[in-house]
Structures are given as structure tokens and as C-alpha cells.
């Protein structure tokens, strides 16, 4: 047991290393993991073993109801896969269990000592910022030789891998009441990549929302339930107007505003294909679909580039219903919390991050990335129900 005391934080090195080992395979950039596949496989197995060990030692801290609620729509997809797509049952089973294990780890971190939680936040923040800086250098080099490639494979995958680090950095900043250089590096790095190299509109919108959420914290916290409700309503309206109703005029105006093509970089085509397939199995969907089939029926191996449509495709209106329940859950949770006191800074950041994910669901493929965002809403609900 080695205790480390920095200028701002006290943490334990053994906890820090443990969390690095647990999170590494999920945060490792795609190009790195593909370059050394055996190391990635080894890290994945070590991560699962460490998670199982930590959970077994702290099983008394687990809040089962919240974790089941947050993952219920994934269970619906799994059940649908059993009936309609048996060849993918094993693959999706392991995908779900990785998400559940990470949710359990988050649960334990929140219920343990301060040094335990600080070690967790520092490990994720440091790991992601390290590779993000390397990614900036890698992207600049590739840009000079006219290659549009980043360390995370797809340029829009960058925000998916870095978002956990941004969340942890913001929470740590609130604990010391100042903006750290690492947080500044995250935001300035993304702006630099947007201007210099890649037109990552999804990442830019996400960062702008987070900035607004943090900047106007004093105003928003006074009526946080109202602002959350408005955010959900706006997101659902946009989903209906742009995607479900296929309102071309609105689509063109938004695309032009962000410097995209009139079909939103091909997304309009993908959304229409997804809707056509959803209508053919609207109640329970098709279950988990492999990339080769997605490319044939949707036009892209990553899905429709709209997570709400992807959930509908996988689990029909049943799965979408439970996803909507998960979106509404914070409203009920905040209402209960207001009877006691105002939500604290950590809860506020987690709620803002959750809204940010819901916004990004509109234009990006998040199927298979649930391990990045479901633990966020799990953490918020657990902290709300202490």
C-alpha cells in the first residue's frame, strides 16, 4: 500500500494501478489495440478478472435495482437476439456483461473511501489525456501527408474514448475549485483538431454543450429538473423532425449551418434504410446484428448513425420504451433529491454528461459503446439515491 500526496489530491498508488488495468482495454485507441492484438486480449482478460475480484470483495455495496434499470433495454436486445439472431448470442452476451461489470465497479467506487474514488478518477483522466495528446500529434503528422486518420480509427470515435476522461477531469476540478491544465488541454485539443484537421461536428457540439452546462451552473442548478426536462424534450423533437419525419428542409438548413452536405454526410440515406427495416419488425426488432449484415441492410457496418434508431432496430418499441424510461429516470430522481437539498457538483457534471451523450446519440453510432455512457447514468442515480 503506497499513499501518494500531490498538490491537490491524496490517493493510493495500488488503487490507481488497479483502475488503470481495469479501464485500459476499453479506453485504448483502436489503432494501438489492433497493432498489438495479443496485448489487448490479455488486458481484457486481466481487466475482467480484476473487476470480478473487486466486485466479490465489495458485493455488499452493490445497488442491484439501479444497475438493472439502466441496463434493462440491453437485456431486451439480448432476449430478441436469442429468438431472431442466435449466431450473435455469445458475442452480445459478453458485450452486455462488460457493461454490467463496469457499472458494478462504478457502484463500488462511489460507495467506497475518498482515496478509492480519487484514484479511480485520476486513473481514467490520466490514461485518456496521455493518448489524446499522442492522438493530436499523430493526426497532425497524418494531415501533413494528406491522410485523414487518427489514433482512434474513425475521427468521430475520438470523443467516445475521451469523454470519460473529460468527465473525470471536470469532477476533479470541482473538488479543487479551479480549472486544471488537463481540462484545458482536452477542450483546446478538440478545437485545434476541428479547425486544423477534422470537421468533427458531433464532438464540437458536445463540447459546446458541456462548456455551457459548466459556465451557467449557478443558474441551471436552481432549476436543474426543469432544464433537464427541456433538454429531453428538445432532443426528442429533433429526433422526430430530422430522423423519423425526414423533414428535408430542416435537415438541409442544419447541414449547411455545420458545413455538411445536404444529406448530412450520407446519414439521411442510413436513417431511411433503418426506418424501413424497423417497420418490418416494429415490436421487438431483430436483436444484435453483425457488421456485415448492417452494411447490407443499412448501408454502413456501424449502423444508422443514430443510436435511438439502432436501439429500435435491435429491440423494437419495447427496447425504445425502456431507453425512454432511462432518459426520464433522472427527473424522478431529482424530484426526490430536491426534498433534501440541491444536487452537488459531481451529480451536476454527471447529469450534464448524460445529456451530452443523449445529444450525440442523434448523429453517431453508439451501439457497442454502451460501456462508455451507461456507467455515467448509473453513477448519477446511485449518488441521487444515497
Amino acid at each position: 500500500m503506497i499513499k501518494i500526496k500531490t498538490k491537490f489530491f491524496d490517493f493510493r498508488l495500488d488503487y490507481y494501478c488497479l483502475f488503470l488495468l481495469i479501464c485500459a482495454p476499453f479506453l485504448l485507441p483502436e489503432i494501438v489495440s489492433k497493432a498489438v492484438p495479443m496485448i489487448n486480449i490479455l488486458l481484457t482478460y486481466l481487466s475482467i478478472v480484476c473487476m470480478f475480484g473487486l466486485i466479490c470483495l465489495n458485493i455488499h455495496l452493490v445497488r442491484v435495482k439501479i444497475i438493472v434499470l439502466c441496463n434493462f433495454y440491453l437485456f431486451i436486445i439480448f432476449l430478441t437476439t436469442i429468438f431472431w439472431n442466435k449466431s450473435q448470442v455469445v458475442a452480445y452476451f459478453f458485450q452486455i456483461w462488460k457493461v454490467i461489470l463496469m457499472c458494478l465497479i462504478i457502484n463500488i467506487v462511489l460507495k467506497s473511501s475518498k482515496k478509492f474514488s480519487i484514484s479511480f478518477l485520476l486513473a481514467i483522466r490520466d490514461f485518456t489525456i496521455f493518448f489524446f495528446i499522442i492522438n493530436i500529434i499523430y493526426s497532425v503528422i497524418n494531415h501533413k501527408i494528406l491522410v485523414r486518420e487518427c489514433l482512434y480509427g474513425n475521427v468521430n470515435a475520438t470523443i467516445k474514448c475521451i469523454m470519460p476522461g473529460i468527465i473525470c477531469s471536470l469532477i476533479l476540478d470541482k473538488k479543487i475549485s479551479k480549472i486544471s491544465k488537463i481540462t484545458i488541454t482536452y477542450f483546446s485539443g478538440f478545437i485545434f483538431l476541428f479547425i486544423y484537421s477534422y470537421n468533427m461536428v458531433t464532438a464540437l457540439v458536445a463540447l459546446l454543450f458541456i462548456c455551457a452546462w459548466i459556465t451557467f451552473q449557478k443558474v441551471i442548478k436552481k432549476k436543474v429538473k426543469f432544464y433537464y426536462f427541456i433538454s429531453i424534450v428538445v432532443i426528442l423533437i429533433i429526433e422526430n423532425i430530422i430522423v423519423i419525419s425526414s423533414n428535408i428542409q430542416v435537415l438541409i438548413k442544419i447541414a449547411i449551418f455545420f458545413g455538411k452536405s445536404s444529406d448530412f454526410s450520407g446519414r439521411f440515406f442510413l436513417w431511411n434504410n433503418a426506418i424501413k427495416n424497423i417497420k418490418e419488425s416494429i415490436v421487438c426488432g431483430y436483436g444484435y446484428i453483425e457488421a456485415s449484415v448492417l452494411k447490407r441492410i443499412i448501408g454502413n457496418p456501424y449502423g444508422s448513425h443514430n443510436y435511438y434508431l439502432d436501439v429500435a432496430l435491435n429491440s423494437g418499441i419495447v427496447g425504445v420504451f425502456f431507453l425512454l424510461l432511462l432518459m426520464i429516470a433522472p427527473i424522478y430522481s431529482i424530484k426526490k433529491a430536491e426534498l433534501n437539498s440541491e444536487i452537488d457538483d459531481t451529480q451536476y457534471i454527471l447529469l450534464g454528461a448524460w445529456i451530452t451523450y443523449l445529444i450525440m446519440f442523434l448523429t453517431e453510432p453508439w451501439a457497442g459503446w454502451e460501456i462508455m455512457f451507461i456507467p455515467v447514468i448509473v453513477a448519477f442515480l446511485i449518488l441521487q439515491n444515497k
Side-chain angles (χ1 to χ4, degrees):
M1 181 177 70
I2 303 174
K3 295 181 180 180
I4 296 179
K5 186 174 183 179
T6 64
K7 184 179 179 180
F8 298 110
F9 302 109
D10 293 341
F11 67 99
R12 280 179 48 175
L13 185 60
D14 51 343
Y15 290 159
Y16 181 85
C17 293
L18 173 64
F19 290 128
L20 281 178
L21 189 58
I22 286 174
C23 299
F26 311 116
L27 298 174
L28 204 63
E30 182 181 326
I31 288 182
V32 177
S33 60
K34 285 184 176 180
V36 281
M38 288 305 298
I39 292 178
N40 187 51
I41 293 170
L42 178 62
L43 283 174
T44 301
Y45 281 115
L46 285 173
S47 173
I48 292 173
V49 169
C50 290
M51 284 194 281
F52 265 114
L54 192 58
I55 291 164
C56 290
L57 292 173
N58 298 276
I59 194 69
H60 60 287
L61 299 175
V62 172
R63 302 290 295 271
V64 177
K65 289 183 180 179
I66 291 175
I67 293 173
V68 170
L69 168 66
C70 294
N71 288 279
F72 203 82
Y73 77 97
L74 296 182
F75 296 144
I76 299 298
I77 296 175
F78 180 68
L79 290 174
T80 308
T81 304
I82 292 175
F83 285 103
W84 294 103
N85 201 3
K86 289 184 173 63
S87 64
Q88 295 301 307
V89 168
V90 175
Y92 197 68
F93 175 80
F94 282 109
Q95 185 172 311
I96 288 178
W97 270 106
K98 285 190 289 186
V99 178
I100 294 173
L101 287 174
M102 187 56 69
C103 289
L104 291 169
I105 294 298
I106 293 292
N107 184 164
I108 291 167
V109 167
L110 294 173
K111 294 292 182 179
S112 299
S113 66
K114 185 178 179 180
K115 286 183 179 179
F116 199 76
S117 60
I118 292 295
S119 301
F120 175 82
L121 293 170
L122 288 172
I124 293 181
R125 185 199 68 175
D126 296 348
F127 188 92
T128 52
I129 195 64
F130 173 76
F131 281 104
F132 182 55
I133 292 172
I134 294 176
N135 175 66
I136 293 173
I137 298 169
Y138 183 81
S139 300
V140 169
I141 293 172
N142 279 332
H143 183 75
K144 288 183 176 180
I145 59 175
L146 303 178
V147 176
R148 194 176 186 271
E149 186 179 63
C150 72
L151 207 62
Y152 298 94
N154 185 292
V155 293
N156 283 315
T158 304
I159 188 67
K160 297 177 183 178
C161 293
I162 297 302
M163 192 66 182
I166 294 174
I167 296 169
C168 292
S169 189
L170 289 171
I171 293 172
L172 289 168
D173 288 355
K174 285 296 181 181
K175 292 183 182 298
I176 60 175
S177 301
K178 65 175 292 185
I179 300 175
S180 66
K181 292 179 181 178
I182 291 179
T183 299
I184 294 172
T185 302
Y186 277 125
F187 285 87
S188 59
F190 265 112
I191 292 171
F192 170 77
L193 286 176
F194 180 83
I195 296 172
Y196 179 80
S197 187
Y198 308 122
N199 188 20
M200 299 182 293
V201 174
T202 302
L204 182 64
V205 171
L207 293 176
L208 288 175
F209 179 83
I210 293 173
C211 286
W213 186 261
I214 298 299
T215 302
F216 299 104
Q217 179 173 342
K218 289 184 179 180
V219 175
I220 296 173
K221 278 185 78 173
K222 292 177 181 178
K223 294 184 178 180
V224 68
K225 183 174 68 174
F226 170 76
Y227 286 107
Y228 180 78
F229 175 76
I230 292 299
S231 299
I232 297 301
V233 170
V234 170
I235 289 168
L236 292 177
I237 289 173
I238 293 173
E239 177 73 7
N240 179 66
I241 292 176
I242 298 180
V243 182
I244 299 175
S245 298
S246 300
N247 192 315
I248 297 175
Q249 292 304 316
V250 174
L251 189 69
I252 292 173
K253 288 178 181 179
I254 295 175
I256 292 173
F257 178 79
F258 286 111
K260 293 284 187 179
S261 59
S262 59
D263 64 349
F264 236 83
S265 299
R267 285 173 173 80
F268 192 38
F269 171 74
L270 301 178
W271 296 339
N272 278 333
N273 285 343
I275 292 168
K276 288 176 184 177
N277 283 278
I278 289 167
K279 288 178 179 178
E280 293 178 7
S281 184
I282 196 167
V283 177
C284 57
Y286 300 91
Y288 180 71
I289 306 172
E290 61 265 44
S292 59
V293 177
L294 279 174
K295 188 173 182 179
R296 177 168 50 85
I297 66 174
I298 303 298
N300 189 288
Y302 300 109
S304 67
H305 276 60
N306 182 287
Y307 188 65
Y308 303 105
L309 289 180
D310 287 336
V311 171
L313 185 68
N314 293 146
S315 57
I317 57 176
V318 177
V320 171
F321 171 76
F322 286 105
L323 177 59
L324 288 173
L325 281 184
L326 185 57
M327 293 169 67
I328 297 169
I331 298 174
Y332 174 72
S333 181
I334 293 167
K335 184 178 180 180
K336 287 176 61 181
E338 284 178 347
L339 299 175
N340 301 317
S341 60
E342 193 178 65
I343 67 172
D344 63 27
D345 289 336
T346 299
Q347 295 168 31
Y348 181 81
I349 291 168
L350 289 170
L351 186 63
W354 173 239
I355 299 172
T356 304
Y357 280 118
L358 296 178
I359 293 170
M360 291 192 288
F361 289 173
L362 291 167
T363 58
E364 287 301 319
W366 281 87
W369 291 84
E370 287 85 1
I371 198 168
M372 296 296 182
F373 61 83
I374 290 183
V376 172
I377 188 61
V378 166
F380 175 78
L381 294 175
I382 287 174
L383 289 174
Q384 283 278 292
N385 291 272
K386 280 186 175 181

